[in-house]
Amino acid sequence: MSNLRFKVVEEAFKKRPVEVATPAERPSEYFAKYVFNQEKMFKYLPLKTYKRLREAIEQGTPLPMSVADEVAQGMKQWAMSMGVTHCTHWFQPLTEGTAEKHDAFLEHDWKGGMIEAFSGKELVQQEPDASSFPNGGIRSTFEARGYSAWDPASPVFIIGDTLMIPTVFISYTGEALDYKAPLKKALAAVDKAATAVAKYFNEDVTRVTANLGWEQEYFLVDEGLYAARPDLLLTGRTLMGHESSKNQQMEDHYFGAIPERVAEFMRDLEIQALELGIPCKTRHNEVAPNQFELAPIFEECNLAVDHNMLLMSLMRNVARKHGFRCLLHEKPFAGINGSGKHNNWSLTTDTGIILHAPGKTPEDALRFITFVVETLMGVYRHNGLLKASIMSATNAHRLGANEAPPAIISSFLGKQVSELLDRVEHSTTDELFAMEGKHGVKLDIPQIPELMIDNTDRNRTSPFAFTGNRFEFRAVGSIANCASAMIALNTAVAEALTDFKMRVDARIAAGASKVCAILDTLREDIKTCKPIRFDGNGYSDEWKEEAQRRGLDCETSCPVIFDRYLDEASVDMFEKMNVMHRHELEARNEIKWETYYKKIQIESRVLGDLCMNHIIPVATKYQSVLADNVHKLQAAFSDPAKVKELTAYNITLIEKINKHTSFIADNVEAMVEKRKVVNKNEDVRTLAVAYHDEVAPYLDAIRYHIDKLELIVEDDMWTLPKYRELLFIR
Ligand code: ADP
Ligand code: MG
């Protein structure tokens, strides 16, 4: 290891011992310590106010200002008892993170002093100057304000000395500038549509909630090594680095013993997450070296999204305390697995039934089939859009590579459920059920034991797999806000269920019995959505051809995939389901394209700089050492044959180095020239497509030669930490 690199690693290692706060209490005692949850509402609010707030939370009704004032007083009292001095609205703009602006609990007392104050107005609404957030042109410059409004369904929490109030973020003209506003609308749409359909099976259902259980994958690297890699620092991924001789080929990391230093980090992280009400449950080593996963127990979708955003920021902070950097990029290292964030999703009724779980009776089975089939219908009709919802410059590296689902959305159901759907499709309604006098309907649908279905053969290659009582949307990226995928999925399923109900009701109106109407409609849909069902190997080339034949969206270019948001079918769906309007979708696409091209632009600049300042100078220096040696040998021996023999190897190396450095120099120059040409485009989509088609290919081409040089140049001279150092925590 080079002297410089060695020092960096040692520094990182010295930082290692960390005092981990180990609370004396059990997790059940400190869980949600920093959350203004139901228990604290009850304790700190007058009973009447408590009831009004619960009502607003449960029914999604607005909170009158007089009530908000009383809620604010209770919250302030609780917060101050916890040492809090500031508050902020906490929202999710269309960037990768969250946003906050802290205000102290302070007001003039108008007697020359100050008092601690926090009003209902401050709780409910603030007006951040939002012109600096991505808005895709929604906000014209003369109207710079947006406003953030508290979402009472998202509990308020404390970080350090600050009370964090989760809010939606919208423009003054009402357009969403964030993820939460459309997510809430999508959840309302799926609630409405699913409740109406669930009522066919149980009149008592009045509300359906979407559940989300995400599984967060991430990498850890030593802080010092990270600091010595400008590419990691500036782009979140390594733009170069030869594969380590040993990486994940021994399959010895997955579920392996967690290294002590990492276990300390995990413990610390989990305690802090639990204190914030995030129900952490599972932790383990992932497939790649230095790759890990954390999964909480599933929660209501909106809350789960908040919790994931919160967790990602906690992870970054806690990692630094432990001398690590937490990498959430989907593909920080080439040649080994990238990171995803499986989104486990299902619908539950307020009567306590998971609509995607098989249940016990044949009637349950019909309900189960209905919700599985209509989910598939949503996914089938909008498979291109769903892909767009998870696509980004960073996730593009993972999809289509040989470790993650391809850039084609399909659904794996497993043998049992597939056979069940086939049976419904191929039998007549008469065959499936017989009227049994006053006992009602008897369905001849095979029983699906709940336990067995939970053990269905897992298909790891499917982007949208059924796993027993839920679907697992696996294509979501590790750094993504889950809301993007959840907005598209819940809206698509809401549309499918609405459409289903319309057709069932029409059949009933025409005289069919309810069960007949449901079965006939399902049979139609099972046939229609068949192309989305695929239980085979999603990584195979045959599947790509087959998917094309089936008419599934097979586009692989990230900026072109974003077009799916503006397809008539998508706009129509979002508008009909009251989630987003066309101009909101257009504005959001502007942001996606802009983000895309800027990311590639930054990568291209960083790579160019590193080539010119690190790679070429280092390789040339080594080349001079070799040349010097050749020169000295020539001076030392007079026999030309002998000289030739002695210098042959080094001369070959000198030539090789030259070949690589020339390629790099020429291509960096060409890449810079290309950027200049491409940057002239004013239309942001054209710009994004050009960066994808014309600039990005240089990154891989140049990298190939850098990685070859890394193998040739003397280890001591190479300035950048190598994969074999970055990937193995000591
Ligand atoms: P894996 O898929 O790796 O086997 P788990 O079985 O631990 O992982 O589950 C992953 C996530 O799925 C967890 O967050 C879990 O709470 C969540 N989950 C379990 N059942 C459901 C459900 N019905 N709906 C949504 N999420 C669920
Ligand atoms: Mg899973």
Side-chain angles (χ1 to χ4, degrees), residues 603-618:
E603 288 188 348
S604 160
R605 285 177 178 167
V606 171
L607 186 73
D609 291 353
L610 283 177
C611 284
M612 304 319 283
N613 312 148
H614 281 251
I615 310 302
I616 294 180
V618 165

Side-chain angles (χ1 to χ4, degrees), residues 49-62:
T49 314
Y50 168 81
K51 283 190 179 152
R52 297 285 294 273
L53 179 58
R54 294 300 315 164
E55 218 175 81
I57 292 171
E58 272 146 34
Q59 283 154 29
T61 48

